[in-house]
Amino acid sequence: MFNSKSIALTCLLFFTFLFNGFCQESKSLLWKISGNGITQPSYLFGTIHLICENDFIVSPAVETSVKNASQVYLEIDMDDPNLNAQMQQYMKMANGQKLQNVLKPDDYKVVSRFFKDSLGVNVDFFNDTKPMLLYSFVLIKMMNGCNIKSYEQAFVEMAKKQQKEVKGLETVAQQMSFIDQISAEKQGDDLVKAIKNYPVYRTYFTKLINVYKEQDIEGLQKLFSDPEFGTSENENETLIYNRNKTWIEQIKAIALKQPTFFAVGAGHLAGDSGVIKLLRNQGFKVEPVN
């Protein structure tokens, strides 16, 4: 049931929900990038990396945007045939750390029991896996056994049908390196907190899904301002803002060369350090597409 590709997707999902501080923007997940020397517009779409099939919607505007683009860029190249091998290489904790050493004994029992009773999985199989990735399995559990869809995989399939290349703004190694900047102990504490407070976290997760479906950026801002679930400013700097700054130079160079469909986690789009604002600061026109 769980493989390295599902871990890659759920890791992306986790990144989607690690942000706060939105500015007020229109209710849209699809944005057109133009101006500043661009001859043909590119498009920017905010994904939620995994979602129940019944909630999954690709609008005609999104389909048209992909069709009009020459290529598709995701956070990482989900069409890379070496993706599974790369995930296996980088999903482990550094320095040979083990989960039972990172967690307190009682907390390890809590995690072990949750994985066995709720997921039917022996947590010892993931004993050297980064705890943040294990949190991803808790998110899958919150989806209550629904048929799961991935926007990234959908865009890969669309690109293949249209014979367009799929590329990534960063490598698996780069993405995993951001996780490594947060101590394994802190990752483990967050995992235990989510499991111990599972009903509350599930309610919060459901609200996030609903607000995402409504494309309500202001609503997301309110949810992510909740100190009970939000991450620290330092963690946001590591996991969101620094990556956004790195992406901007790439997006700028790519969009100037050819029309491109960019799809990244919706958490990267808004706010003063979001991709939309950063692109506007570079002189580009970024406007919602409804």
Side-chain angles (χ1 to χ4, degrees):
M1 178 180 178
F2 302 119
N3 54 41
S4 53
K5 182 164 286 190
S6 70
I7 292 175
L9 289 168
T10 49
C11 179
L12 287 170
L13 174 63
F14 187 75
F15 279 131
T16 298
F17 297 122
L18 291 177
F19 71 102
N20 52 34
F22 281 114
C23 64
Q24 293 184 351
E25 290 287 3
S26 299
K27 290 185 179 181
S28 180
L29 297 171
L30 179 63
W31 299 77
K32 183 172 74 171
I33 306 170
S34 61
N36 200 22
I38 291 181
T39 56
Q40 294 178 275
S42 287
Y43 292 87
L44 174 67
F45 181 79
T47 71
I48 185 168
H49 302 297
L50 295 176
I51 194 169
C52 289
E53 185 175 22
N54 291 339
D55 296 325
F56 179 85
I57 298 175
V58 174
S59 70
V62 172
E63 292 180 344
T64 299
S65 299
V66 176
K67 183 178 180 180
N68 290 341
S70 298
Q71 59 187 352
V72 172
Y73 263 81
L74 308 175
E75 290 185 26
I76 58 176
D77 182 358
M78 300 301 296
D79 193 36
D80 186 347
N82 297 315
L83 179 64
N84 287 350
Q86 293 173 31
M87 287 301 304
Q88 291 289 344
Q89 179 182 356
Y90 292 106
M91 64 191 288
K92 295 181 180 180
M93 286 184 277
N95 303 319
Q97 289 177 296
K98 303 295 182 182
L99 191 63
Q100 66 261 44
N101 302 129
V102 170
L103 300 179
K104 298 174 183 178
D106 288 345
D107 287 342
Y108 183 79
K109 291 179 182 179
V110 169
V111 173
S112 180
R113 189 180 308 114
F114 179 85
F115 270 69
K116 181 179 180 181
D117 296 346
S118 300
L119 304 172
V121 174
N122 188 337
V123 77
D124 290 342
F125 182 75
F126 300 103
N127 198 28
D128 56 0
T129 302
K130 293 176 174 61
M132 189 176 288
L133 300 186
L134 298 183
Y135 182 93
S136 300
F137 292 135
V138 180
L139 294 176
I140 287 181
K141 173 64 178 177
M142 291 177 184
M143 301 178 81
N144 201 29
C146 70
N147 292 326
I148 297 175
K149 294 281 289 185
S150 159
Y151 279 97
E152 280 72 19
Q153 287 300 318
F155 293 141
V156 168
E157 292 169 6
M158 292 169 67
K160 283 185 175 181
K161 289 180 181 179
Q162 298 173 27
Q163 297 182 326
K164 294 174 180 176
E165 191 170 1
V166 176
K167 300 180 181 180
L169 291 170
E170 58 194 16
T171 65
V172 171
Q174 288 172 325
Q175 193 165 91
M176 291 298 110
S177 72
F178 298 122
I179 295 178
D180 290 336
Q181 293 181 48
I182 299 174
S183 71
E185 289 75 16
K186 177 61 167 63
Q187 294 180 40
D189 288 345
D190 290 341
L191 173 65
V192 172
K193 181 180 178 182
I195 291 174
K196 287 183 175 179
N197 299 281
Y198 177 80
V200 178
Y201 271 68
R202 183 177 177 184
T203 299
Y204 176 75
F205 177 76
T206 300
K207 290 180 180 178
L208 286 175
I209 295 294
N210 290 335
V211 173
Y212 175 83
K213 288 163 55 181
E214 295 168 359
Q215 305 185 55
D216 182 359
I217 292 179
E218 292 184 28
L220 285 172
Q221 180 184 18
K222 293 177 181 178
L223 286 174
F224 284 107
S225 297
D226 189 336
E228 179 68 21
F229 304 97
T231 53
S232 70
E233 190 64 18
N234 286 338
E235 289 171 337
N236 283 335
E237 193 73 28
T238 297
L239 297 171
I240 303 297
Y241 307 145
N242 288 341
R243 295 168 71 206
N244 290 351
K245 294 173 185 176
T246 301
W247 290 351
I248 289 303
E249 291 304 316
Q250 296 183 67
I251 293 173
K252 176 181 177 180
I254 293 165
L256 284 169
K257 289 182 179 179
Q258 56 185 307
T260 302
F261 182 86
F262 299 95
V264 301
H268 292 277
L269 296 190
D272 289 340
S273 297
V275 173
I276 292 172
K277 181 67 175 294
L278 293 178
L279 283 172
R280 287 172 176 166
N281 290 345
Q282 291 280 335
F284 294 99
K285 184 177 182 181
V286 186
E287 54 191 331
V289 179
N290 297 314

